[in-house]
Amino acid sequence: MKKILTIVLAGLLLAACTSKEKPVKKSLVVYYSITSTTQKAAECIQQKTGADIVALQAKDAYPTDFQQIIQRSQQEMKDSVLPEMLPIEADLSAYDTIFVGYPIWFGTYALPVKSWLSKADLKGKVIVPFCTFGSGGYKQSVADLKAQQPEAQIVEGFGIRSALMDKLPGVVDEMLIGLGMKEGEKEVKADFSEQKPVEKADEEIFNTAVKGYQMLNAKAVSVGSRQVKAGTEYCFKAENSSPDGKKRPVTVYVTKEAEGDPYFTLVDYE
């Protein structure tokens, strides 16, 4: 009788402990990539988090040639047509957090991602957006993501220039620390100083940073700065000349480390 009572009590204790256990949270990385740049970002996140990972694929695959991608996507936008996507091999209901990765096309996430988002049920999920781009588009893509998935919880991810992929591991670490998914101290950045007219030294920093980038033909007008962990970060207000001769204001963010040339990290087109 005593032996039976001991077994019963042990069973009750085990049940009590099990009932207090929290369900294991699972993460998934979903991404679309043609040139493998966004794929590298997705795989870096997967390696650092242990999340599952799956690639989005269009039923009619896009060409890898840049100009052909532009031509096809422009026609699809003109016709208000979204590419048909193949089903992904993942049950979204099994995940609490979903990292959504994409290249920037025409200022926001690529059309295949827009197509997938239009049908995906992300209600109640924590969504972490990340993207790769030539000059910018992260901010607009997040705004579009919130509009397309209003019942999801969109948190801060990151955007990174394709030319700066050597800095990817550090960028991912910074994101994960900010999300509380990795130990470390989150960098708290001060506000930029007030804008002031650019001087010759400022112009040299700006011109060196944007040199060689054909999509940006800008002249710096004013600048603010702040100290960051990497060095000095500048916020340039500039005037960009487009091929049609029109000028439009842009904001260009430039980082100058202790060694090496300054480089731009982001362009906000106003």
Side-chain angles (χ1 to χ4, degrees):
M1 187 67 175
K2 186 175 180 181
K3 183 177 181 181
I4 295 175
L5 182 60
T6 301
I7 294 173
V8 171
L9 289 174
L12 291 173
L13 180 60
L14 178 61
C17 292
T18 303
S19 65
K20 293 180 181 179
E21 290 180 357
K22 295 181 180 179
V24 176
K25 292 187 176 182
K26 296 180 64 179
S27 299
L28 174 69
V29 179
V30 179
Y31 72 94
Y32 178 75
S33 183
I34 290 182
T35 64
S36 80
T37 304
T38 306
Q39 179 182 346
K40 291 177 182 177
E43 290 175 346
C44 184
I45 294 172
Q46 189 275 329
Q47 291 165 5
K48 289 178 176 292
T49 62
D52 294 335
I53 187 169
V54 63
L56 297 174
Q57 297 181 37
K59 187 173 182 180
D60 178 14
Y62 281 76
T64 56
D65 179 77
F66 179 70
Q67 291 301 325
Q68 291 180 1
I69 293 172
I70 291 177
Q71 292 172 5
R72 172 175 165 177
S73 54
Q74 283 181 328
Q75 188 63 49
E76 288 173 332
M77 289 188 294
K78 180 180 179 181
D79 297 339
S80 298
V81 173
L82 290 176
E84 184 178 352
M85 304 301 293
L86 295 175
I88 63 173
E89 297 181 0
D91 178 7
L92 297 182
S93 66
Y95 299 92
D96 302 280
T97 301
I98 301 177
F99 295 86
V100 179
Y102 44 84
I104 295 294
W105 292 3
F106 301 100
T108 189
Y109 39 68
L111 289 178
V113 177
K114 182 177 182 180
S115 180
W116 177 72
L117 287 171
S118 69
K119 297 179 179 179
D121 181 10
L122 303 181
K123 180 180 179 180
K125 305 293 184 183
V126 175
I127 305 302
V128 187
F130 66 97
C131 62
T132 59
F133 49 73
S135 59
Y138 172 77
K139 185 188 299 184
Q140 183 60 53
S141 71
V142 172
D144 292 341
L145 180 55
K146 289 179 178 179
Q148 197 162 13
Q149 291 286 341
E151 295 184 283
Q153 181 185 350
I154 315 297
V155 299
E156 187 68 20
F158 69 86
I160 184 171
R161 284 188 63 210
S162 301
L164 301 176
M165 290 297 285
D166 60 314
K167 302 183 184 301
L168 176 65
V171 171
V172 174
D173 283 341
E174 185 177 345
M175 176 192 69
L176 296 177
I177 291 171
L179 294 173
M181 300 179 71
K182 178 181 174 66
E183 292 186 359
E185 185 176 349
K186 181 180 179 180
E187 181 179 10
V188 179
K189 297 181 179 180
D191 293 333
F192 285 101
S193 62
E194 291 186 9
Q195 290 285 308
K196 66 177 182 64
V198 294
E199 298 177 355
K200 184 176 181 180
D202 303 317
E203 290 182 346
E204 290 178 353
I205 290 173
F206 179 83
N207 292 337
T208 300
V210 303
K211 183 179 180 180
Y213 187 68
Q214 298 179 350
M215 302 298 290
L216 191 61
N217 181 26
K219 178 178 177 59
V221 176
S222 64
V223 63
S225 64
R226 65 184 177 186
Q227 294 302 122
V228 295
K229 184 168 57 177
T232 303
E233 186 176 13
Y234 299 88
C235 175
F236 284 96
K237 299 294 182 179
E239 190 174 66
N240 190 49
S241 299
S242 57
D244 59 7
K246 294 182 179 179
K247 295 182 179 181
R248 60 187 297 193
V250 293
T251 302
V252 183
Y253 296 91
V254 172
T255 297
K256 178 69 173 70
E257 298 182 5
E259 297 181 0
D261 289 335
Y263 53 88
F264 83 88
T265 57
L266 175 68
V267 178
D268 278 338
Y269 296 91
E270 301 177 17

